[in-house]
Amino acid sequence: MMLQQIRVVEKPEVYIRKALRESRKGKKVRIRDKRSRQKQEELQKIRIYKDVLYDEVQKVVKSFPSFENLDPFYKELIDSQIRIDDLRKELSRLSWIRQKLLVLFRDYNSRVRGTESIIKIKSIQKEFYGRTSSLLKKSEKTFKFLENSRRTIKNFPSIKTKIKTICISGFPNVGKSTLLKKLTGANVEIQPYAFTTKSLLLGYIEKKLQIIDTPGTLNRYNKMNSIEKQAHLAIKYLAEKVIYVFDLTETCGYEIEKQIELFKKLKEEFQEKEIIIFLSKTDILKPEQVESFITYLKDEKIFCDSEPLKAYITPP
Ligand SMILES: Nc1nc2c(ncn2[C@@H]2O[C@H](COP(=O)(O)OP(=O)(O)OP(=O)(O)O)[C@@H](O)[C@H]2O)c(=O)[nH]1
Ligand SMILES: [Mg+2]
């Protein structure tokens, strides 16, 4: 996913320093006449200086993904944490700076061309550097915002958006990560307390099927924390099916009634998706408990073992 490849956005000073450094390294101009040689060299300096700045700003703008072509999952994910409108605004500010740089350059370039005295040329040049650098520095906030955005985006899970996907949902501590591990062999952290998993965990079955451990309790959307939002969006946009994990032992800390409530909410919210039930911790449950639960939810697809579940979900 190209999202992870956004360039680091530096402070404007860094670009300015680089531009100055490069401009001083310009090629020697081979002209006999000392004065015209010096003039050509100064012209070369401001051109290199402008080119470097223009280039750096351009690279930043270009390295952000184009939001039109972005997968809806990532689009809404970005929107949920940064707001795409703000990002657009700041990026177009950079584009504006880029244009403004060209305008300033044309102006100062022709002023240098029309000047003979080297002392005057130097002072025009200095003014050019001053104006361009204050142009960039005035937009310090833009650079900072973009760098923060890059960091946020970089930390997004690198979920594949083009392959069959199933999400594992359920209350904290019910055994979601344990199931992910059993299904896919993913190396995941499993702990006997709630909220162990703090990001979306990914596992794959034969590169054909992506399984995402989506932690969180599916609060109302605007009350969700960042991970819960990511989980919600993954289910909404990517999941073809959802495996809902029930812990009938209640050792997870959530009563069966609560778990049923959440299950119903999930079914209600994602009516078009198949919701498969997995009963975890059946090794420490009485068979009667399992049986009466299966009878209670007799219209649902229920699995008590990971092997048959895996066979059921794996595409042929
Ligand atoms: N006996 C038994 N314990 C299990 C089983 N599955 C999970 N557990 C235990 O339940 C606890 C929680 O398991 P996790 O897989 O971390 O649960 P989770 O749903 O991913 O939890 P969070 O990431 O905190 O939301 C751990 O102590 C596991 O060892 C099972 O099938 N049998
Ligand atoms: Mg977990």
Side-chain angles (χ1 to χ4, degrees):
M1 186 80 206
M2 70 280 196
L3 273 186
Q4 271 71 24
Q5 289 157 9
I6 302 173
R7 283 188 127 229
V8 174
V9 185
E10 307 280 5
K11 289 194 175 119
E13 296 91 275
V14 174
Y15 299 127
I16 292 164
R17 261 186 271 127
K18 179 172 181 199
L20 282 174
R21 213 165 49 232
E22 297 293 319
S23 75
R24 289 194 206 103
K25 282 197 282 196
K27 281 203 246 52
K28 278 267 170 286
V29 175
R30 299 191 177 279
I31 299 176
R32 265 278 166 74
D33 178 56
K34 186 178 172 203
R35 189 181 284 218
S36 28
R37 184 176 67 233
Q38 279 182 325
K39 181 169 165 176
Q40 285 309 315
E41 281 172 357
E42 298 314 314
L43 279 167
Q44 181 180 255
K45 275 186 197 157
I46 62 169
R47 189 179 43 75
I48 295 176
Y49 176 87
K50 176 269 294 176
D51 284 346
V52 172
L53 280 188
Y54 186 91
D55 221 50
E56 291 295 335
V57 173
Q58 170 105 317
K59 279 187 204 151
V60 171
V61 176
K62 290 264 159 79
S63 85
F64 276 85
S66 112
F67 303 113
E68 281 69 35
N69 308 328
L70 213 53
D71 187 275
F73 167 71
Y74 277 109
K75 203 164 168 175
E76 202 172 329
L77 188 57
I78 293 177
D79 214 22
S80 75
Q81 327 250 315
I82 308 172
R83 301 213 8 238
I84 286 193
D85 277 349
D86 291 348
L87 201 47
R88 275 213 183 94
K89 208 178 73 202
E90 300 299 344
L91 283 171
S92 65
R93 184 161 177 94
L94 273 200
S95 300
W96 173 81
I97 289 175
R98 205 180 49 180
Q99 279 323 106
K100 190 82 184 155
L101 258 174
L102 288 187
V103 172
L104 281 173
F105 171 73
R106 280 188 209 116
D107 179 20
Y108 281 85
N109 189 53
S110 72
R111 278 165 67 182
V112 171
R113 280 189 189 285
T115 306
E116 288 311 314
S117 144
I118 289 298
I119 294 174
K120 277 200 190 125
I121 286 178
K122 291 258 186 198
S123 96
I124 296 171
Q125 191 188 57
K126 206 167 159 196
E127 196 182 314
F128 175 62
Y129 292 159
R131 292 208 37 202
T132 47
S133 93
S134 83
L135 171 70
L136 264 75
K137 282 180 184 163
K138 257 191 268 162
S139 301
E140 211 148 38
K141 272 202 201 133
T142 297
F143 288 84
K144 195 159 184 190
F145 175 90
L146 291 173
E147 174 58 8
N148 288 338
S149 306
R150 182 191 70 86
R151 289 186 189 172
T152 306
I153 292 172
K154 191 170 151 263
N155 286 327
F156 287 158
S158 48
I159 293 175
K160 300 192 194 319
T161 53
K162 299 274 185 278
I163 72 170
K164 265 187 194 299
T165 297
I166 294 181
C167 288
I168 303 179
S169 182
F171 271 103
N173 214 18
V174 293
K176 297 181 297 300
S177 300
T178 303
L179 179 62
L180 179 73
K181 187 177 178 175
K182 281 184 188 156
L183 291 174
T184 67
N187 184 15
V188 297
E189 187 191 1
I190 291 158
Q191 293 290 346
Y193 46 77
F195 303 104
T196 303
T197 306
K198 291 176 192 68
S199 64
L200 304 196
L201 300 180
L202 309 174
Y204 296 88
I205 296 178
E206 295 169 23
K207 294 187 180 163
K208 286 190 291 196
L209 182 65
Q210 174 173 247
I211 304 188
I212 312 179
D213 176 354
T214 45
T217 51
L218 302 171
N219 281 312
R220 271 191 295 131
Y221 189 75
N222 52 9
K223 280 194 173 173
M224 289 178 186
N225 63 31
S226 164
I227 294 314
E228 288 177 312
K229 277 187 182 164
Q230 293 187 17
H232 178 88
L233 294 175
I235 296 174
K236 180 174 167 192
Y237 287 108
L238 307 175
E240 185 179 280
K241 299 171 180 167
V242 179
I243 299 171
Y244 183 81
V245 179
F246 265 105
D247 172 5
L248 302 183
T249 70
E250 297 182 338
T251 53
C252 61
Y254 298 89
E255 293 167 359
I256 296 178
E257 287 71 35
K258 285 267 168 226
Q259 297 182 48
I260 291 176
E261 216 173 272
L262 182 56
F263 170 69
K264 288 192 171 150
K265 212 171 117 192
L266 199 67
K267 273 186 70 150
E268 176 70 30
E269 186 164 5
F270 301 108
Q271 288 178 16
E272 72 290 357
K273 301 183 199 283
E274 182 185 4
I275 318 260
I276 306 162
I277 293 177
F278 179 76
L279 299 186
S280 67
K281 311 183 189 177
T282 45
D283 53 316
I284 53 171
L285 274 173
K286 293 199 194 86
E288 306 89 82
Q289 279 176 293
V290 175
E291 268 154 40
S292 74
F293 187 78
I294 292 175
T295 318
Y296 172 66
L297 288 180
K298 59 182 180 310
D299 294 330
E300 306 295 338
K301 191 94 195 147
I302 303 179
F303 290 89
C304 305
D305 280 306
S306 60
E307 279 309 315
L309 172 61
K310 184 171 173 175
Y312 179 73
I313 58 175
T314 304

